[in-house]
Amino acid sequence: MSGGAGFFDIPSDLQHTYLGLIGEHLKEALIPVAGGLALSLPIAQLCVRFRWLYPPVLWVTTVLYAIPSIAFFVFLIDYTGATETTVMIPLTVYSLVVLVPAIVDGVRSVPQETLAAAEAMGFTSMQRYLRVELPIAVPAIFAGLRVATVSSISLVSVGSLIGNEGALGNLLSDAHVFHRSNLAVTSVVTTAVLAIVIDALLIGIRMLLTPWLPRGSRSARRASVDAVTGPAPEEARPLEEAAR
Amino acid sequence: MRERSHRTGPGNPARRGPRPVTGRNIGGLNSPRNGLRARAAQADSRHVRKGIRALIRIESVTKRYPDGTVAVDRLSLEIPDGSVTVLVGPSGCGKTTTLRMINRMVELSEGRILLDGADITRQPVNTLRRSMGYVIQNAGLFQHRTIVDNIATVPRMLGWDRGRARTRAMDLMERVGLDAGLAKRYPYQLSGGQQQRVGVARALAADPPVLLMDEPFSAVDPIVRKTLQAELLRIQEELGKTIVFVTHDIDEAIRLGDMVAVMRTGGKLAQFAPPDELLSAPADEFVEDFLGAGRGVRRLSFFTSAGLELTTDPVVAVDASAAQIAERATDDVPYLLVTDADGRPLGWARAKDAVGGEGLDAAQLLSHGRPFEFGRDSLRDALDCAVLSPTGWAVAVDGDGRVVGVASQETIAGAIRDAHAERKGSADRKAAAGAPGGPGATGARRTAR
């Protein structure tokens, strides 16, 4: 590799190493998702509690998602300047369109009899939400988080439009300015790998959080359980019962 | 206390499990007359200590929804302490609504419900609910918690420390017939029947005096359901809870209930009676239709077989000598019941063939069919055995499966007539005296033992 044309050689105007850009990129992508999750939880809870609220909320988040990021930047730059914050605010707003429905559907998918059981055991509505509904919604929430995170990682690049706030995306504009197409390759490949790695990480966290989910085929699992404990009691007892 | 008077009648042998023939003791108002089963007697004395707490009194309760629908219409019920009361009826009869009004998951519109003499609205709703176990169709387990954590839920909420709650949960797993190895598993790893056992254990965890059960066994297959019903009766025998049980299955109601409330569409009470009375005297056409066919035969489930006059004349051991066989095989005995050396039945031999042969050939015997357990099974079981038997004779065995005698269809028919007459006589006496009392097992002949 010569003449600064290597995969990991970053033009000095970006004032970052390759790893520095990755760190920057992750920060700008993940903080909005975290913020979006923090906003979505109460919004979704309200939507579950007051069913009529859900359609308008869904409508609003969709419309916000339809606003181009450039329009957001033009509007926000007066308040927050050409900073990361200006990039992260639209990304936060965009994540809502995925996260709110994910949480609402997840919480709504909790079986009626589970909720009835919780109510009958004297759970307050807060206990019910925190100890029953939310944990059971974790798989659905993580499905939403994965989409929101991957899309956020790819969207950070538009930050380059407001002056080097696009992390890895800045390489794209540099590729254009310096006529170095290899920078574009570096940008695109790195962003894609980042998205895949973070996605895998989220899957891992989800699996740690939900040991209670059937893994693989349910019947295969059931069979292995029976192999360990012997036949289920009621498979044995009817015989005694029938013998009587 | 009209309904209590019915409890002094003979037992309900329809119930399988360790329940004694005279064991339908509710609130400890009568003592076991049978005396045969000491363990059951102990269980009964526990009932006595519990006294008549936790009696649920539903007073003229109406549930009207905002759209004007009346789910329950001026319903009054007295749910006796320490017994199983079943609410049964077609869908839309308000039985589940009634159940849910007891723990205020549904708020009543008019009337009131008293628990142990106090209006249920007097205490905070969650305190009320934690004092009542609740079992629901499909169990409604927390799928994200292990079995042991599921069971320990209410004790933990009541502030028990982790160790105590866990110990309690493990005890309950054993009590409901779950292997301790399942404790760390998650609900998806259990079969439907096992999940329902967990549901029952969870409801019992904080030892609530009241258990509300909302069609708990309707989602499992019939064989598992039968097992779970038997287990519930066994557990109830040990714990003596006040159980309110909702079902649409009249057979389940008759099997489980000490008292059965039949409800009709529109939330009205059609009849509230012990199952025996329900079968013998349905209040009206609706109840009669709902009970379905075969009332008379089904009612035989409530008559003990203890009064049957058994004979041992046709019973011979397989190693009997030719002389012994000839002695047994008189003209009145067309068939001989052959038993093994321990007295367990092997099968029937034709008397004609047996006499003059060189002893009995165990391979040549007719099947003896299913025997009934004398004293514990009901007259219905005895009749069933006789009808299914190739010889028309039912084989009676003791708890160990040893033959205690045989009874012909005619003998059983006679016992049925006697039992009906006795039951009717006691009902008349009761009506005349206006006091509780019944025939009990003392009236039964026990000559065969």
Side-chain angles (χ1 to χ4, degrees):
Chain A
M1 303 232 175
S2 60
F7 189 85
F8 299 110
D9 292 324
I10 306 302
S12 60
D13 68 312
L14 299 184
Q15 298 179 339
H16 271 296
T17 61
Y18 179 71
L19 286 179
L21 277 182
I22 288 179
E24 191 68 16
H25 199 95
L26 282 180
K27 188 176 99 188
E28 286 184 44
L30 298 184
I31 289 176
V33 177
L37 185 63
L39 278 175
S40 302
L41 283 172
I43 294 174
Q45 173 60 357
L46 287 175
C47 290
V48 171
R49 185 71 64 83
F50 309 104
R51 284 186 154 262
W52 55 268
L53 203 60
Y54 189 38
V57 165
L58 215 51
W59 184 82
V60 169
T61 58
T62 310
V63 167
L64 286 174
Y65 190 68
I67 299 173
S69 40
I70 298 204
F72 263 116
F73 295 157
V74 168
F75 172 74
L76 285 172
I77 214 150
D78 285 345
Y79 302 95
T80 51
T83 60
E84 297 171 347
T85 317
T86 307
V87 181
M88 290 195 285
I89 288 172
L91 292 185
T92 306
V93 171
Y94 293 158
S95 73
L96 297 182
V97 80
V98 181
L99 290 176
V100 171
I103 300 171
V104 170
D105 294 345
V107 169
R108 279 191 186 169
S109 74
V110 178
Q112 272 309 309
E113 58 260 24
T114 307
L115 294 177
E119 190 186 349
M121 282 190 283
F123 278 72
T124 63
S125 56
M126 198 58 178
Q127 286 172 327
R128 222 169 66 181
Y129 183 64
L130 293 178
R131 297 197 202 165
V132 180
E133 293 174 330
L134 221 45
I136 291 177
V138 159
I141 295 173
F142 265 75
L145 267 183
R146 286 172 58 192
V147 177
T149 307
V150 168
S151 104
S152 185
I153 287 174
S154 81
L155 283 173
V156 163
S157 301
V158 299
S160 63
L161 291 175
I162 56 167
N164 285 357
E165 295 300 344
L168 288 167
N170 299 338
L171 291 173
L172 291 173
S173 41
D174 273 15
H176 181 66
V177 172
F178 300 132
H179 299 288
R180 277 174 57 185
S181 54
N182 65 322
L183 288 178
V185 173
T186 303
S187 169
V188 170
V189 169
T190 309
T191 309
V193 169
L194 216 53
I196 291 167
V197 169
I198 297 295
D199 193 44
L201 217 61
L202 284 173
I203 294 174
I205 296 173
R206 201 269 288 147
M207 281 167 70
L208 283 179
L209 286 178
T210 57
W212 47 273
L213 266 194
R215 271 174 215 144
S217 133
R218 203 187 161 91
S219 53
R221 184 76 177 209
R222 177 78 53 77
S224 75
V225 170
D226 281 351
V228 174
T229 61
E234 57 273 6
E235 282 162 44
R237 275 178 205 174
L239 298 177
E240 295 169 25
E241 190 74 6
R244 297 213 2 91
Chain B
M1 300 298 278
R2 181 175 156 274
E3 67 277 9
R4 284 194 190 275
S5 63
H6 299 290
R7 322 208 142 270
T8 52
N12 176 0
R15 302 182 153 207
R16 296 279 160 87
R19 184 166 277 253
V21 174
T22 53
R24 286 165 71 83
N25 273 4
I26 301 310
L29 287 186
N30 46 355
S31 59
R33 286 190 206 84
N34 194 319
L36 286 176
R37 294 168 194 272
R39 247 191 71 220
Q42 276 166 12
D44 285 329
S45 69
R46 274 203 294 278
H47 289 194
V48 176
R49 273 197 302 272
K50 278 190 184 269
I52 47 168
R53 288 191 65 249
L55 185 96
I56 301 167
R57 196 186 294 262
I58 297 173
E59 289 182 352
S60 191
V61 162
T62 295
K63 176 64 194 178
R64 190 179 291 107
Y65 285 101
D67 65 359
T69 325
V70 175
V72 176
D73 191 8
R74 282 162 296 163
L75 177 75
S76 292
L77 280 181
E78 252 178 46
I79 293 168
D81 174 48
S83 66
V84 182
T85 299
V86 181
L87 308 179
V88 65
S91 51
C93 71
K95 53 192 190 296
T96 294
T97 308
T98 304
L99 187 81
R100 288 183 168 211
M101 284 193 287
I102 296 175
N103 71 352
R104 294 181 62 195
M105 286 171 75
V106 172
E107 292 290 354
L108 52 83
S109 316
E110 287 161 27
R112 61 175 188 163
I113 298 178
L114 302 180
L115 172 68
D116 206 6
D119 195 306
I120 53 168
T121 54
R122 288 268 187 82
Q123 52 180 320
V125 65
N126 286 327
T127 312
L128 176 80
R129 287 176 183 164
R130 284 168 204 171
S131 73
M132 297 182 177
Y134 190 78
V135 188
I136 199 172
Q137 193 175 347
N138 295 321
L141 300 184
F142 297 144
Q143 50 185 294
H144 59 295
R145 291 197 183 167
T146 57
I147 301 308
V148 66
D149 286 344
N150 260 284
I151 298 173
T153 306
V154 177
R156 291 287 287 153
M157 281 204 300
L158 292 173
W160 295 24
D161 65 65
R162 186 177 288 273
R164 182 172 166 225
R166 192 158 285 243
T167 312
R168 170 75 180 156
M170 297 305 292
D171 287 350
L172 279 166
M173 283 186 73
E174 194 187 332
R175 176 151 268 163
V176 300
L178 284 170
D179 191 284
L182 297 173
K184 294 282 179 197
R185 296 191 191 280
Y186 288 98
Y188 82 91
Q189 295 168 308
L190 269 57
S191 68
Q194 287 173 322
Q195 291 194 18
Q196 202 50 266
R197 284 168 196 267
V198 178
V200 173
R202 182 174 66 176
L204 290 170
D207 203 18
V210 176
L211 214 54
L212 306 178
M213 307 185 80
D214 189 3
E215 308 214 17
F217 307 146
S218 19
V220 293
D221 69 66
I223 294 176
V224 174
R225 186 182 314 147
K226 223 173 161 224
T227 317
L228 289 173
Q229 289 169 349
E231 296 263 314
L232 178 67
L233 289 176
R234 179 182 60 76
I235 293 167
Q236 170 67 357
E237 186 64 40
E238 292 166 10
L239 302 180
K241 299 289 181 192
T242 301
I243 299 179
V244 187
F245 191 106
V246 163
T247 181
H248 58 258
D249 175 358
I250 184 69
D251 290 320
E252 185 167 65
I254 285 172
R255 181 151 195 237
L256 297 179
D258 292 303
M259 291 293 286
V260 177
V262 184
M263 295 178 70
R264 68 172 98 235
T265 317
K268 287 195 172 71
L269 183 66
Q271 189 170 4
F272 187 44
D276 176 18
E277 189 181 316
L278 210 60
L279 287 168
S280 62
D284 56 21
E285 210 166 297
F286 169 79
V287 179
E288 199 170 343
D289 277 357
F290 195 71
L291 286 164
R295 270 199 293 123
V297 175
R298 279 153 70 191
R299 188 173 170 234
L300 294 180
S301 305
F302 297 96
F303 296 118
T304 168
S305 60
L308 260 183
E309 212 157 343
L310 302 179
T311 170
T312 51
D313 291 348
V315 182
V316 292
V318 69
D319 54 2
S321 66
Q324 285 171 315
I325 295 169
E327 186 193 328
R328 292 289 188 192
T330 59
D331 289 346
D332 297 341
V333 179
Y335 291 96
L336 295 172
L337 179 71
V338 183
T339 66
D340 65 12
D342 287 336
R344 293 192 172 79
L346 292 172
W348 293 96
R350 219 177 281 277
K352 281 203 301 274
D353 305 347
V355 177
E358 289 141 36
L360 297 155
D361 181 2
Q364 295 283 312
L365 300 174
L366 293 169
S367 156
H368 59 76
R370 206 174 80 165
F372 69 97
E373 191 181 330
F374 184 66
R376 177 152 149 186
D377 284 344
S378 65
L379 277 184
R380 184 185 180 176
D381 297 310
L383 181 63
D384 199 49
C385 294
V387 170
L388 291 175
S389 164
T391 62
W393 290 68
V395 178
V397 295
D398 63 15
D400 298 323
R402 291 191 179 82
V403 174
V404 294
V406 296
S408 67
Q409 288 179 0
E410 290 71 25
T411 310
I412 295 170
I416 292 170
R417 276 193 300 277
D418 290 353
H420 276 298
E422 206 169 283
R423 192 68 64 98
K424 188 171 176 301
S426 82
D428 292 347
R429 276 198 307 278
K430 215 158 54 193
T442 44
R445 286 159 297 160
R446 347 197 78 235
T447 47
R449 268 260 152 111

